[in-house]
PDB file of all heavy atoms in Angstrom:
ATOM      1  N   ARG A 346     -10.547  23.399   9.109  1.00  0.00           N
ATOM      2  CA  ARG A 346     -10.426  23.027   7.751  1.00  0.00           C
ATOM      3  C   ARG A 346      -9.981  21.625   7.517  1.00  0.00           C
ATOM      4  O   ARG A 346     -10.483  20.933   6.620  1.00  0.00           O
ATOM      5  CB  ARG A 346      -9.488  24.023   7.029  1.00  0.00           C
ATOM      6  CG  ARG A 346      -9.928  25.445   6.898  1.00  0.00           C
ATOM      7  CD  ARG A 346     -11.265  25.610   6.215  1.00  0.00           C
ATOM      8  NE  ARG A 346     -11.203  25.214   4.857  1.00  0.00           N
ATOM      9  CZ  ARG A 346     -10.994  25.924   3.787  1.00  0.00           C
ATOM     10  NH1 ARG A 346     -10.784  27.285   3.996  1.00  0.00           N
ATOM     11  NH2 ARG A 346     -10.955  25.485   2.547  1.00  0.00           N
ATOM     12  N   GLU A 374       2.254  21.401  13.671  1.00  0.00           N
ATOM     13  CA  GLU A 374       3.630  21.117  13.408  1.00  0.00           C
ATOM     14  C   GLU A 374       4.134  19.952  14.203  1.00  0.00           C
ATOM     15  O   GLU A 374       5.032  19.241  13.734  1.00  0.00           O
ATOM     16  CB  GLU A 374       4.555  22.311  13.584  1.00  0.00           C
ATOM     17  CG  GLU A 374       4.307  23.444  12.593  1.00  0.00           C
ATOM     18  CD  GLU A 374       5.241  24.602  12.835  1.00  0.00           C
ATOM     19  OE1 GLU A 374       6.359  24.385  13.314  1.00  0.00           O
ATOM     20  OE2 GLU A 374       4.963  25.674  12.471  1.00  0.00           O
ATOM     21  N   ALA A 390       0.235  21.833  -1.058  1.00  0.00           N
ATOM     22  CA  ALA A 390      -0.758  22.817  -1.457  1.00  0.00           C
ATOM     23  C   ALA A 390      -0.934  23.864  -0.386  1.00  0.00           C
ATOM     24  O   ALA A 390      -2.065  24.406  -0.183  1.00  0.00           O
ATOM     25  CB  ALA A 390      -2.079  22.129  -1.768  1.00  0.00           C
ATOM     26  N   LEU A 412       1.910  51.148  -6.893  1.00  0.00           N
ATOM     27  CA  LEU A 412       2.117  49.917  -7.679  1.00  0.00           C
ATOM     28  C   LEU A 412       0.845  49.065  -7.676  1.00  0.00           C
ATOM     29  O   LEU A 412       0.456  48.535  -6.557  1.00  0.00           O
ATOM     30  CB  LEU A 412       3.347  49.162  -7.138  1.00  0.00           C
ATOM     31  CG  LEU A 412       3.823  47.878  -7.927  1.00  0.00           C
ATOM     32  CD1 LEU A 412       4.330  48.399  -9.268  1.00  0.00           C
ATOM     33  CD2 LEU A 412       4.867  47.157  -7.131  1.00  0.00           C
ATOM     34  N   ILE A 416      -2.767  39.591  -9.702  1.00  0.00           N
ATOM     35  CA  ILE A 416      -2.764  38.291  -8.996  1.00  0.00           C
ATOM     36  C   ILE A 416      -1.775  38.201  -7.880  1.00  0.00           C
ATOM     37  O   ILE A 416      -2.025  37.707  -6.734  1.00  0.00           O
ATOM     38  CB  ILE A 416      -2.618  37.114  -9.950  1.00  0.00           C
ATOM     39  CG1 ILE A 416      -3.658  37.116 -11.092  1.00  0.00           C
ATOM     40  CG2 ILE A 416      -2.699  35.714  -9.215  1.00  0.00           C
ATOM     41  CD1 ILE A 416      -5.105  36.932 -10.689  1.00  0.00           C
ATOM     42  N   ALA A 439      11.276  19.850   3.889  1.00  0.00           N
ATOM     43  CA  ALA A 439      12.370  19.047   3.330  1.00  0.00           C
ATOM     44  C   ALA A 439      13.204  18.332   4.382  1.00  0.00           C
ATOM     45  O   ALA A 439      13.596  17.203   4.190  1.00  0.00           O
ATOM     46  CB  ALA A 439      13.171  19.962   2.389  1.00  0.00           C
ATOM     47  N   VAL A 474       8.951  17.976  -8.236  1.00  0.00           N
ATOM     48  CA  VAL A 474       8.494  18.452  -9.531  1.00  0.00           C
ATOM     49  C   VAL A 474       7.340  19.434  -9.280  1.00  0.00           C
ATOM     50  O   VAL A 474       6.525  19.221  -8.308  1.00  0.00           O
ATOM     51  CB  VAL A 474       7.987  17.225 -10.428  1.00  0.00           C
ATOM     52  CG1 VAL A 474       6.742  16.560  -9.807  1.00  0.00           C
ATOM     53  CG2 VAL A 474       7.654  17.763 -11.844  1.00  0.00           C
ATOM     54  N   CYS A 477       1.383  22.469 -12.592  1.00  0.00           N
ATOM     55  CA  CYS A 477       0.390  23.546 -12.897  1.00  0.00           C
ATOM     56  C   CYS A 477      -0.587  23.113 -14.011  1.00  0.00           C
ATOM     57  O   CYS A 477      -0.101  22.568 -15.012  1.00  0.00           O
ATOM     58  CB  CYS A 477       1.143  24.813 -13.206  1.00  0.00           C
ATOM     59  SG  CYS A 477       0.067  26.183 -13.624  1.00  0.00           S
ATOM     60  N   ASP A 537     -11.885  38.230 -22.429  1.00  0.00           N
ATOM     61  CA  ASP A 537     -11.142  38.134 -21.181  1.00  0.00           C
ATOM     62  C   ASP A 537      -9.672  37.739 -21.464  1.00  0.00           C
ATOM     63  O   ASP A 537      -8.968  37.464 -20.515  1.00  0.00           O
ATOM     64  CB  ASP A 537     -11.833  37.028 -20.349  1.00  0.00           C
ATOM     65  CG  ASP A 537     -13.137  37.495 -19.812  1.00  0.00           C
ATOM     66  OD1 ASP A 537     -13.298  38.720 -19.611  1.00  0.00           O
ATOM     67  OD2 ASP A 537     -14.004  36.600 -19.420  1.00  0.00           O
ATOM     68  N   THR A 553       1.027  30.298 -21.909  1.00  0.00           N
ATOM     69  CA  THR A 553       0.176  29.409 -21.211  1.00  0.00           C
ATOM     70  C   THR A 553      -0.789  29.938 -20.166  1.00  0.00           C
ATOM     71  O   THR A 553      -1.942  29.619 -20.137  1.00  0.00           O
ATOM     72  CB  THR A 553       1.037  28.271 -20.457  1.00  0.00           C
ATOM     73  OG1 THR A 553       2.075  28.973 -19.719  1.00  0.00           O
ATOM     74  CG2 THR A 553       1.589  27.328 -21.416  1.00  0.00           C
ATOM     75  N   PRO A 572      -2.988  55.030 -18.241  1.00  0.00           N
ATOM     76  CA  PRO A 572      -4.099  54.330 -17.613  1.00  0.00           C
ATOM     77  C   PRO A 572      -5.229  53.774 -18.554  1.00  0.00           C
ATOM     78  O   PRO A 572      -5.897  52.857 -18.159  1.00  0.00           O
ATOM     79  CB  PRO A 572      -4.723  55.467 -16.760  1.00  0.00           C
ATOM     80  CG  PRO A 572      -4.290  56.714 -17.403  1.00  0.00           C
ATOM     81  CD  PRO A 572      -2.950  56.453 -18.020  1.00  0.00           C
ATOM     82  N   GLN A 601     -21.109  22.941   3.686  1.00  0.00           N
ATOM     83  CA  GLN A 601     -22.211  22.067   4.161  1.00  0.00           C
ATOM     84  C   GLN A 601     -22.443  20.994   3.129  1.00  0.00           C
ATOM     85  O   GLN A 601     -22.663  19.829   3.518  1.00  0.00           O
ATOM     86  CB  GLN A 601     -23.438  22.888   4.413  1.00  0.00           C
ATOM     87  CG  GLN A 601     -23.306  23.861   5.518  1.00  0.00           C
ATOM     88  CD  GLN A 601     -22.954  23.174   6.906  1.00  0.00           C
ATOM     89  OE1 GLN A 601     -23.448  22.146   7.146  1.00  0.00           O
ATOM     90  NE2 GLN A 601     -22.018  23.875   7.659  1.00  0.00           N
ATOM     91  N   ALA A 618      -1.575  14.950 -10.593  1.00  0.00           N
ATOM     92  CA  ALA A 618      -1.028  14.178  -9.485  1.00  0.00           C
ATOM     93  C   ALA A 618      -1.369  12.669  -9.613  1.00  0.00           C
ATOM     94  O   ALA A 618      -0.463  11.736  -9.544  1.00  0.00           O
ATOM     95  CB  ALA A 618      -1.515  14.693  -8.118  1.00  0.00           C
ATOM     96  N   VAL A 637      10.918  21.646 -13.609  1.00  0.00           N
ATOM     97  CA  VAL A 637      12.108  20.968 -13.251  1.00  0.00           C
ATOM     98  C   VAL A 637      13.348  21.898 -13.381  1.00  0.00           C
ATOM     99  O   VAL A 637      13.216  22.939 -14.002  1.00  0.00           O
ATOM    100  CB  VAL A 637      12.334  19.688 -14.087  1.00  0.00           C
ATOM    101  CG1 VAL A 637      11.189  18.674 -13.955  1.00  0.00           C
ATOM    102  CG2 VAL A 637      12.443  20.064 -15.611  1.00  0.00           C
ATOM    103  N   ASN A 648      20.952  27.616 -16.596  1.00  0.00           N
ATOM    104  CA  ASN A 648      20.934  26.268 -16.008  1.00  0.00           C
ATOM    105  C   ASN A 648      20.274  26.249 -14.616  1.00  0.00           C
ATOM    106  O   ASN A 648      19.749  25.254 -14.200  1.00  0.00           O
ATOM    107  CB  ASN A 648      22.251  25.610 -15.954  1.00  0.00           C
ATOM    108  CG  ASN A 648      22.814  25.275 -17.308  1.00  0.00           C
ATOM    109  OD1 ASN A 648      22.034  25.025 -18.246  1.00  0.00           O
ATOM    110  ND2 ASN A 648      24.177  25.149 -17.503  1.00  0.00           N
ATOM    111  N   THR A 689      15.187  35.986  -5.807  1.00  0.00           N
ATOM    112  CA  THR A 689      14.302  35.682  -4.662  1.00  0.00           C
ATOM    113  C   THR A 689      14.779  34.450  -3.946  1.00  0.00           C
ATOM    114  O   THR A 689      14.753  34.435  -2.714  1.00  0.00           O
ATOM    115  CB  THR A 689      12.829  35.494  -5.174  1.00  0.00           C
ATOM    116  OG1 THR A 689      12.389  36.683  -5.845  1.00  0.00           O
ATOM    117  CG2 THR A 689      11.908  35.168  -4.055  1.00  0.00           C
ATOM    118  N   PRO A 736      11.434  35.319   8.075  1.00  0.00           N
ATOM    119  CA  PRO A 736      12.605  35.261   8.930  1.00  0.00           C
ATOM    120  C   PRO A 736      13.309  36.660   8.951  1.00  0.00           C
ATOM    121  O   PRO A 736      12.954  37.537   8.161  1.00  0.00           O
ATOM    122  CB  PRO A 736      13.505  34.213   8.266  1.00  0.00           C
ATOM    123  CG  PRO A 736      13.089  34.245   6.837  1.00  0.00           C
ATOM    124  CD  PRO A 736      11.649  34.582   6.810  1.00  0.00           C
TER     125      PRO A 736
END
Side-chain angles (χ1 to χ4, degrees):
R346 295 300 300 265
E374 290 185 28
L412 187 65
I416 305 294
V474 64
C477 176
D537 291 334
T553 48
Q601 293 300 320
V637 297
N648 286 338
T689 301

